[in-house]
Every structure is written in C-alpha cells, then in structure tokens.
Amino acid sequence: EVKLIGATAIGDKLHDGVPDTIALLRRANLHFWMLTGDKYEVGLACRLLSLESSGATLLTIRGDDAEQVGACIHEYLKDLRDERYVEHGKNNEVAIIIEGKTLAIALQHHLDDFGELGVQAHCVICCRVTPAQKAAVVKLVKERKKMTLAIGDGGNDVAMIQEAHVGVGISGKEGLQAGRASNYCFARCRYLSRLLLVHGRYSYKRTAAMMQYSFYRSIFISLMQLQFNCFAGFSGVSFFQGMVMAGWALI
C-alpha cells in the first residue's frame, strides 16, 4: 500500500521584461517560433500571439495519423494562399499551434508543407516538444533560406541553439549549459532587444559599408591593372608589387 504524503511542483516563470521585449520585436516584423515543453498558453502570457488583446487567428494542427495531419496542414495552407484570414484594413495575425506528438508526424511525413505553412504564419507555437524536435524545427526554418536566432536558458535548448545561425543563451537558475553553447550569453532576456535593434543595426551598417568598399576597391585595382597592360602589351606583368597588394588587403 502506497500513501501519498505530499507533492511538490516546479513551475517556469517568465523573466522580467519578456512580454515587452517580444512585443517590441514583433513591431520590427520579426517572426517567432516558440518551441516549449509547456502548454500553448505560455504564448498568451508573453504576448506572442498578438500585439492587441484580440485579432489573432489561431490555427491548431491536429491529427492522430499522417493522413489527418496532412489534411489539416493542406487545408490551412490553401486558406493562407487564398488570403482567407486576411481582413483588409486590419492587422490580423495568423498563429500556428501544434503539439509534440502531432509535430513528430508533420516532421516525418509532411516536412515541406509544414515548413511552408510555418513560414507564412506570423508566429508558430510548438508545445510539448523534445530537445531533438526543437533542433529539427530550427533546421526546417534554415532550409527555407531564413536567418534563424535561437534563445534558451536550459540544457534542453542546447541542440536548438547550436542548430541556429545565431545562438543566445540566458544564464540563471537553469544553469550555464545554454550560455556555454551559444554565441551570446545574457543575464536577462530583455537584453535581446538591444542586441538585435541596436548592435544588430550597427553590425548591418558596418557590414554593408565594408562590402561596398571591397567591391569598389577591387574595381579600382582591376581598372588600373587593365590600363597598365595596354602599355605593357598585355604581357601579364603586374603593375603592383606583391607587398603593396598584401598591404592593400589589410587596409
């Protein structure tokens, strides 16, 4: 005979500033894929489903086998292509909700259709998923030529962080496993907005300027070499010395 003496439970708590950070990034027209082991209601708590109190269209993918899941995905995909959920004059958002068991079927039998459906939606919430499924979903988005950033705070997020183009780990009560496997490590999730909207913009501008500089520099060198060969009988003699070219590349 077994008697229940007591029970304890551990509940995840959102970091400070998570809803405001997600709302700010949504205004920047970023698409979110929430991969969580909890229920989909966590999307409501962090203001992921909609910027407003209402207006989001929730599409839940259900099915017990490959045929049912495929029929559900194809129906939603057809409605999105026909703009059935678009209300002109309103910022109507489309959110996809799928659970781990259904996600496993979709990834195995309907990978391309599910990927197209998720990319067209404003946000996708995958609840009750395993660490391996998180990494598979990130890989699915990468294969559609999308830049991915994964953020997590626990050891079950390591595979997802390593699979993404940019991995962000949050150090805290969950440990440092996510932070050690990531490209950037934060103490709070709210710092993500500064990373993307401030430092990300500076990095984009510096990269764009460097690409333009390298492009026009190469044209400049090529034109000088071409003009020199017009007087050198196109013998292939270089106008520049090797050390000059090496120093030019370091500028």
Side-chain angles (χ1 to χ4, degrees):
E1 182 180 0
V2 179
K3 293 183 179 180
L4 180 62
I5 299 177
T8 59
I10 300 176
D12 289 339
K13 182 180 179 181
L14 292 177
H15 290 256
D16 296 335
V18 171
D20 295 335
T21 301
I22 292 179
L24 179 61
L25 296 179
R26 291 297 304 278
R27 291 175 57 190
N29 199 26
L30 296 181
H31 288 208
F32 281 79
W33 290 64
M34 175 174 284
L35 312 177
T36 177
D38 299 328
K39 296 182 179 179
Y40 83 92
E41 284 82 2
V42 69
L44 296 173
C46 65
R47 296 173 61 183
L48 177 61
L49 293 178
S50 178
L51 297 177
E52 307 295 338
S53 58
S54 62
T57 301
L58 304 181
L59 306 179
T60 304
I61 300 177
R62 296 187 178 92
D64 297 328
D65 53 25
E67 184 178 355
Q68 295 179 1
V69 174
C72 186
I73 293 176
H74 294 158
E75 180 182 357
Y76 291 152
L77 192 58
K78 182 178 180 300
D79 292 338
L80 282 177
R81 289 171 179 171
D82 296 339
E83 298 185 351
R84 175 181 174 184
Y85 305 110
V86 176
E87 297 183 15
H88 298 285
K90 296 183 179 180
N91 186 19
N92 195 27
E93 299 179 350
V94 177
I96 306 296
I97 300 175
I98 184 172
E99 293 190 356
K101 181 180 179 181
T102 310
L103 178 63
I105 299 175
L107 293 177
Q108 183 177 1
H109 300 282
H110 308 283
L111 186 64
D112 295 334
D113 293 334
F114 175 68
E116 183 180 355
L117 178 63
V119 169
Q120 293 189 17
H122 293 81
C123 67
V124 180
I125 300 179
C126 303
C127 49
R128 303 297 189 184
V129 297
T130 63
Q133 289 177 332
K134 293 181 180 181
V137 172
V138 174
K139 182 179 179 180
L140 174 66
V141 180
K142 286 176 57 178
E143 292 175 349
R144 268 116 191 108
K145 309 300 181 182
K146 301 295 183 179
M147 180 62 67
T148 58
L149 182 147
I151 179 170
D153 61 350
N156 57 346
D157 300 320
V158 171
M160 172 184 67
I161 291 174
Q162 293 179 338
E163 184 65 36
H165 291 103
V166 180
V168 177
I170 301 178
S171 60
K173 297 182 180 179
E174 296 290 338
L176 296 175
Q177 290 179 317
R180 291 170 180 170
S182 61
N183 303 107
Y184 301 93
C185 184
F186 297 152
R188 294 290 184 271
C189 181
R190 65 174 181 267
Y191 299 151
L192 180 64
S193 60
R194 186 172 182 84
L195 173 68
L196 296 179
L197 303 182
V198 179
H199 299 286
R201 180 175 180 270
Y202 288 154
S203 177
Y204 175 79
K205 294 181 66 175
R206 289 193 297 264
T207 303
M210 178 58 66
M211 292 179 63
Q212 293 181 2
Y213 167 75
S214 300
F215 177 74
Y216 289 110
R217 184 190 67 176
S218 300
I219 293 180
F220 177 73
I221 295 176
S222 300
L223 290 178
M224 290 186 64
Q225 183 66 35
L226 179 61
Q227 185 178 5
F228 172 74
N229 276 273
C230 292
F231 298 95
F234 294 94
S235 60
V237 179
S238 177
F239 177 72
F240 304 97
Q241 296 182 358
M243 294 300 296
V244 175
M245 294 300 299
W248 184 276
L250 294 177
I251 298 178

Coordinates of all heavy atoms in Angstrom, one line a residue, residues 34-87:
M34 N 8.0 29.6 -31.2 CA 8.1 29.3 -29.8 C 8.2 27.8 -29.7 O 7.2 27.1 -29.9 CB 7.0 29.9 -29.0 CG 7.1 29.5 -27.5 SD 5.8 30.3 -26.5 CE 6.6 31.9 -26.3
L35 N 9.3 27.2 -29.2 CA 9.5 25.8 -29.0 C 9.6 25.6 -27.5 O 10.6 25.9 -26.9 CB 10.7 25.3 -29.8 CG 10.9 25.8 -31.2 CD1 12.2 25.4 -31.8 CD2 9.7 25.3 -32.0
T36 N 8.6 25.0 -26.9 CA 8.5 24.9 -25.5 C 8.0 23.6 -25.1 O 7.2 22.9 -25.8 CB 7.6 26.0 -24.9 OG1 7.5 25.9 -23.5 CG2 6.2 26.0 -25.5
G37 N 8.3 23.2 -23.9 CA 7.8 21.9 -23.3 C 6.5 22.2 -22.6 O 5.9 21.2 -22.1
D38 N 6.1 23.4 -22.4 CA 4.9 23.7 -21.7 C 3.7 23.7 -22.6 O 3.8 23.4 -23.8 CB 5.0 25.1 -21.0 CG 6.1 25.1 -20.0 OD1 6.4 24.0 -19.4 OD2 6.8 26.2 -19.8
K39 N 2.5 24.2 -22.1 CA 1.3 24.3 -22.9 C 1.4 25.6 -23.7 O 2.2 26.5 -23.5 CB 0.1 24.3 -22.0 CG -0.1 23.0 -21.3 CD -1.4 23.0 -20.5 CE -1.6 21.7 -19.7 NZ -2.9 21.7 -18.9
Y40 N 0.4 25.7 -24.7 CA 0.5 26.8 -25.6 C 0.1 28.1 -24.9 O 0.3 29.2 -25.4 CB -0.4 26.6 -26.8 CG -1.8 26.9 -26.6 CD1 -2.4 28.1 -27.0 CD2 -2.7 25.9 -26.1 CE1 -3.7 28.4 -26.8 CE2 -4.0 26.2 -26.0 CZ -4.5 27.4 -26.3 OH -5.9 27.7 -26.1
E41 N -0.5 28.0 -23.7 CA -1.0 29.3 -23.0 C 0.2 30.2 -22.7 O 0.0 31.4 -22.4 CB -1.7 28.9 -21.8 CG -3.2 28.4 -22.0 CD -3.2 27.0 -22.4 OE1 -2.2 26.3 -22.4 OE2 -4.3 26.5 -22.6
V42 N 1.4 29.6 -22.7 CA 2.6 30.5 -22.4 C 2.7 31.6 -23.5 O 3.3 32.6 -23.3 CB 3.8 29.6 -22.3 CG1 4.2 29.0 -23.7 CG2 5.0 30.4 -21.7
G43 N 2.2 31.3 -24.7 CA 2.2 32.3 -25.7 C 1.4 33.5 -25.4 O 1.6 34.6 -25.9
L44 N 0.3 33.3 -24.7 CA -0.6 34.4 -24.3 C 0.1 35.2 -23.2 O 0.0 36.4 -23.1 CB -1.9 33.8 -23.8 CG -2.8 33.1 -24.8 CD1 -4.0 32.5 -24.1 CD2 -3.2 34.1 -25.9
A45 N 0.8 34.5 -22.3 CA 1.5 35.2 -21.2 C 2.6 36.1 -21.6 O 2.8 37.2 -21.0 CB 2.0 34.2 -20.1
C46 N 3.3 35.7 -22.7 CA 4.4 36.5 -23.1 C 4.0 37.4 -24.3 O 4.9 38.0 -25.0 CB 5.6 35.6 -23.5 SG 5.3 34.5 -24.9
R47 N 2.7 37.6 -24.6 CA 2.2 38.5 -25.6 C 2.8 38.1 -27.0 O 3.1 39.0 -27.9 CB 2.6 39.9 -25.3 CG 1.9 40.4 -24.1 CD 2.4 41.8 -23.7 NE 2.2 42.8 -24.7 CZ 2.6 44.1 -24.7 NH1 3.3 44.5 -23.6 NH2 2.3 44.9 -25.6
L48 N 2.9 36.8 -27.3 CA 3.4 36.4 -28.6 C 2.4 36.3 -29.6 O 2.6 36.6 -30.8 CB 4.2 35.1 -28.4 CG 4.7 34.4 -29.7 CD1 5.7 35.4 -30.3 CD2 5.3 33.1 -29.5
L49 N 1.2 35.9 -29.2 CA 0.1 35.6 -30.2 C -0.4 36.9 -30.9 O -0.7 36.9 -32.0 CB -1.1 34.9 -29.5 CG -0.8 33.5 -29.0 CD1 -2.0 32.9 -28.3 CD2 -0.3 32.6 -30.2
S50 N -0.5 38.0 -30.2 CA -1.0 39.2 -30.8 C -0.5 40.4 -30.0 O -0.4 40.4 -28.8 CB -2.5 39.2 -30.9 OG -3.0 40.4 -31.4
L51 N -0.3 41.5 -30.7 CA 0.1 42.7 -30.1 C -1.1 43.4 -29.4 O -1.0 44.1 -28.5 CB 0.7 43.7 -31.1 CG 2.0 43.3 -31.8 CD1 2.4 44.3 -32.8 CD2 3.1 43.1 -30.8
E52 N -2.3 43.1 -29.9 CA -3.5 43.6 -29.3 C -4.2 42.6 -28.5 O -3.8 41.4 -28.4 CB -4.4 44.1 -30.5 CG -3.8 45.0 -31.5 CD -3.4 46.4 -30.8 OE1 -4.0 46.7 -29.8 OE2 -2.5 47.0 -31.4
S53 N -5.2 42.9 -27.8 CA -5.9 42.0 -26.9 C -6.7 41.0 -27.8 O -7.0 39.9 -27.3 CB -6.9 42.8 -26.1 OG -7.9 43.5 -26.9
S54 N -7.0 41.3 -29.0 CA -7.6 40.3 -29.9 C -7.2 40.6 -31.3 O -6.4 41.5 -31.6 CB -9.2 40.4 -29.8 OG -9.6 41.7 -30.2
G55 N -7.6 39.8 -32.2 CA -7.2 40.0 -33.6 C -6.4 38.9 -34.2 O -6.2 38.9 -35.4
A56 N -5.9 38.0 -33.4 CA -5.0 36.9 -33.9 C -5.9 35.7 -34.3 O -6.9 35.4 -33.6 CB -4.0 36.5 -32.9
T57 N -5.6 35.1 -35.4 CA -6.3 33.9 -35.8 C -5.4 32.7 -35.4 O -4.3 32.5 -35.9 CB -6.5 33.9 -37.4 OG1 -7.3 35.0 -37.7 CG2 -7.2 32.6 -37.8
L58 N -6.0 31.8 -34.6 CA -5.3 30.7 -34.1 C -5.6 29.4 -34.9 O -6.8 29.1 -35.0 CB -5.6 30.4 -32.6 CG -5.3 31.6 -31.6 CD1 -5.7 31.2 -30.2 CD2 -3.9 32.1 -31.7
L59 N -4.6 28.8 -35.5 CA -4.8 27.6 -36.3 C -4.1 26.5 -35.6 O -2.9 26.5 -35.5 CB -4.3 27.8 -37.7 CG -4.8 29.0 -38.5 CD1 -4.1 29.1 -39.9 CD2 -6.3 29.0 -38.7
T60 N -4.9 25.5 -35.2 CA -4.4 24.4 -34.4 C -4.3 23.2 -35.3 O -5.3 22.8 -35.9 CB -5.2 24.1 -33.2 OG1 -5.3 25.2 -32.4 CG2 -4.6 22.9 -32.4
I61 N -3.1 22.6 -35.5 CA -2.9 21.4 -36.3 C -3.1 20.2 -35.4 O -2.5 20.0 -34.4 CB -1.5 21.4 -36.9 CG1 -1.2 22.6 -37.7 CG2 -1.2 20.1 -37.7 CD1 0.2 22.7 -38.3
R62 N -4.1 19.4 -35.8 CA -4.5 18.2 -35.0 C -4.5 17.0 -35.9 O -4.6 17.1 -37.2 CB -5.8 18.4 -34.4 CG -5.9 19.5 -33.3 CD -7.3 19.4 -32.7 NE -7.4 20.4 -31.6 CZ -7.9 21.6 -31.8 NH1 -8.3 22.0 -33.0 NH2 -8.0 22.5 -30.8
G63 N -4.4 15.8 -35.3 CA -4.4 14.6 -36.1 C -3.7 13.5 -35.3 O -2.8 13.7 -34.6
D64 N -4.3 12.3 -35.5 CA -3.7 11.1 -34.9 C -2.8 10.3 -35.8 O -2.1 9.4 -35.4 CB -4.8 10.2 -34.3 CG -5.6 10.9 -33.3 OD1 -5.1 11.7 -32.5 OD2 -6.9 10.6 -33.2
D65 N -2.9 10.5 -37.1 CA -2.1 9.8 -38.1 C -1.6 10.8 -39.2 O -2.0 12.0 -39.2 CB -2.8 8.6 -38.7 CG -4.2 9.0 -39.2 OD1 -4.3 10.2 -39.6 OD2 -5.0 8.1 -39.3
A66 N -0.8 10.3 -40.1 CA -0.2 11.1 -41.1 C -1.3 11.7 -42.0 O -1.2 12.8 -42.5 CB 0.8 10.3 -41.9
E67 N -2.3 10.9 -42.3 CA -3.4 11.4 -43.2 C -4.1 12.5 -42.6 O -4.4 13.6 -43.3 CB -4.3 10.2 -43.5 CG -5.4 10.6 -44.6 CD -6.3 9.4 -44.9 OE1 -6.0 8.3 -44.4 OE2 -7.3 9.6 -45.7
Q68 N -4.5 12.5 -41.4 CA -5.3 13.5 -40.7 C -4.4 14.8 -40.6 O -4.9 15.9 -40.8 CB -5.8 13.1 -39.4 CG -6.8 11.9 -39.4 CD -7.2 11.5 -38.0 OE1 -6.8 12.1 -37.0 NE2 -8.1 10.5 -38.0
V69 N -3.2 14.6 -40.2 CA -2.3 15.8 -40.0 C -2.1 16.4 -41.4 O -2.1 17.7 -41.5 CB -1.0 15.4 -39.4 CG1 0.0 16.5 -39.4 CG2 -1.2 14.8 -38.0
G70 N -1.9 15.6 -42.4 CA -1.6 16.2 -43.7 C -2.8 16.9 -44.3 O -2.7 18.0 -44.9
A71 N -4.0 16.4 -44.0 CA -5.3 17.1 -44.5 C -5.4 18.4 -43.8 O -5.8 19.4 -44.4 CB -6.5 16.2 -44.2
C72 N -5.1 18.5 -42.5 CA -5.2 19.7 -41.7 C -4.2 20.8 -42.2 O -4.5 21.9 -42.4 CB -5.0 19.4 -40.2 SG -5.3 20.8 -39.1
I73 N -3.0 20.3 -42.5 CA -2.0 21.3 -42.9 C -2.3 21.8 -44.3 O -2.2 23.0 -44.6 CB -0.6 20.6 -43.0 CG1 -0.1 20.3 -41.5 CG2 0.5 21.4 -43.7 CD1 1.2 19.5 -41.5
H74 N -2.8 20.9 -45.2 CA -3.1 21.3 -46.6 C -4.3 22.3 -46.6 O -4.4 23.2 -47.4 CB -3.5 20.1 -47.4 CG -2.3 19.2 -47.7 ND1 -2.4 17.9 -48.0 CD2 -0.9 19.5 -47.6 CE1 -1.2 17.4 -48.1 NE2 -0.3 18.3 -47.9
E75 N -5.3 22.1 -45.7 CA -6.4 23.0 -45.6 C -6.0 24.4 -45.2 O -6.4 25.4 -45.8 CB -7.4 22.4 -44.6 CG -8.7 23.3 -44.5 CD -9.7 22.7 -43.5 OE1 -9.4 21.6 -42.9 OE2 -10.7 23.4 -43.2
Y76 N -5.2 24.5 -44.1 CA -4.7 25.8 -43.6 C -3.8 26.4 -44.7 O -3.9 27.7 -44.9 CB -3.9 25.6 -42.3 CG -4.8 25.2 -41.1 CD1 -4.2 24.5 -40.1 CD2 -6.1 25.6 -41.1 CE1 -5.0 24.1 -39.0 CE2 -6.9 25.2 -40.0 CZ -6.3 24.5 -38.9 OH -7.1 24.2 -37.9
L77 N -3.0 25.6 -45.3 CA -2.1 26.2 -46.3 C -2.9 26.8 -47.5 O -2.5 27.8 -48.1 CB -1.1 25.1 -46.8 CG 0.1 25.6 -47.7 CD1 0.9 26.6 -46.9 CD2 0.9 24.4 -48.0
K78 N -3.9 26.1 -47.9 CA -4.8 26.6 -49.0 C -5.5 27.9 -48.6 O -5.6 28.8 -49.4 CB -5.8 25.5 -49.4 CG -6.7 25.9 -50.5 CD -7.7 24.8 -50.9 CE -8.6 25.2 -52.0 NZ -9.4 26.3 -51.7
D79 N -5.9 28.0 -47.4 CA -6.6 29.2 -46.9 C -5.7 30.3 -46.8 O -6.0 31.5 -47.1 CB -7.2 28.9 -45.5 CG -8.4 27.9 -45.6 OD1 -9.0 27.7 -46.7 OD2 -8.7 27.3 -44.5
L80 N -4.4 30.1 -46.5 CA -3.4 31.2 -46.4 C -3.1 31.7 -47.8 O -2.9 32.9 -48.0 CB -2.1 30.7 -45.7 CG -2.2 30.6 -44.2 CD1 -0.9 30.1 -43.6 CD2 -2.5 32.0 -43.6
R81 N -3.0 30.7 -48.7 CA -2.7 31.1 -50.1 C -3.8 31.9 -50.7 O -3.6 32.9 -51.5 CB -2.4 29.9 -51.0 CG -1.1 29.2 -50.7 CD -1.0 27.9 -51.4 NE 0.2 27.2 -51.1 CZ 0.5 25.9 -51.5 NH1 -0.4 25.2 -52.1 NH2 1.7 25.4 -51.2
D82 N -5.1 31.6 -50.3 CA -6.2 32.3 -50.8 C -6.5 33.6 -50.0 O -7.5 34.3 -50.3 CB -7.5 31.4 -50.8 CG -7.3 30.3 -51.8 OD1 -6.5 30.4 -52.7 OD2 -8.0 29.2 -51.6
E83 N -5.7 33.9 -49.0 CA -5.8 35.0 -48.1 C -7.2 35.0 -47.4 O -7.8 36.1 -47.3 CB -5.6 36.3 -48.9 CG -4.2 36.5 -49.5 CD -4.0 37.8 -50.2 OE1 -5.1 38.6 -50.3 OE2 -2.9 38.2 -50.5
R84 N -7.6 33.9 -47.0 CA -8.9 33.8 -46.3 C -8.9 34.5 -45.0 O -9.9 35.0 -44.5 CB -9.2 32.3 -46.1 CG -10.5 32.1 -45.3 CD -10.8 30.6 -45.1 NE -11.9 30.4 -44.3 CZ -12.3 29.2 -43.9 NH1 -11.7 28.1 -44.3 NH2 -13.4 29.1 -43.1
Y85 N -7.7 34.5 -44.3 CA -7.6 35.0 -42.9 C -7.2 36.5 -43.0 O -7.0 37.1 -41.9 CB -6.6 34.2 -42.1 CG -6.9 32.8 -42.1 CD1 -6.1 31.8 -42.7 CD2 -8.0 32.3 -41.4 CE1 -6.4 30.5 -42.7 CE2 -8.3 30.9 -41.3 CZ -7.5 30.0 -42.0 OH -7.8 28.7 -42.0
V86 N -7.1 37.1 -44.1 CA -6.6 38.5 -44.2 C -7.9 39.4 -44.3 O -8.7 39.2 -45.2 CB -5.8 38.7 -45.5 CG1 -5.4 40.2 -45.6 CG2 -4.5 37.9 -45.4
E87 N -8.0 40.3 -43.4 CA -9.0 41.3 -43.3 C -8.4 42.6 -43.7 O -7.6 43.1 -43.0 CB -9.7 41.3 -42.0 CG -10.4 40.0 -41.6 CD -11.1 40.2 -40.2 OE1 -11.2 41.3 -39.8 OE2 -11.5 39.1 -39.7

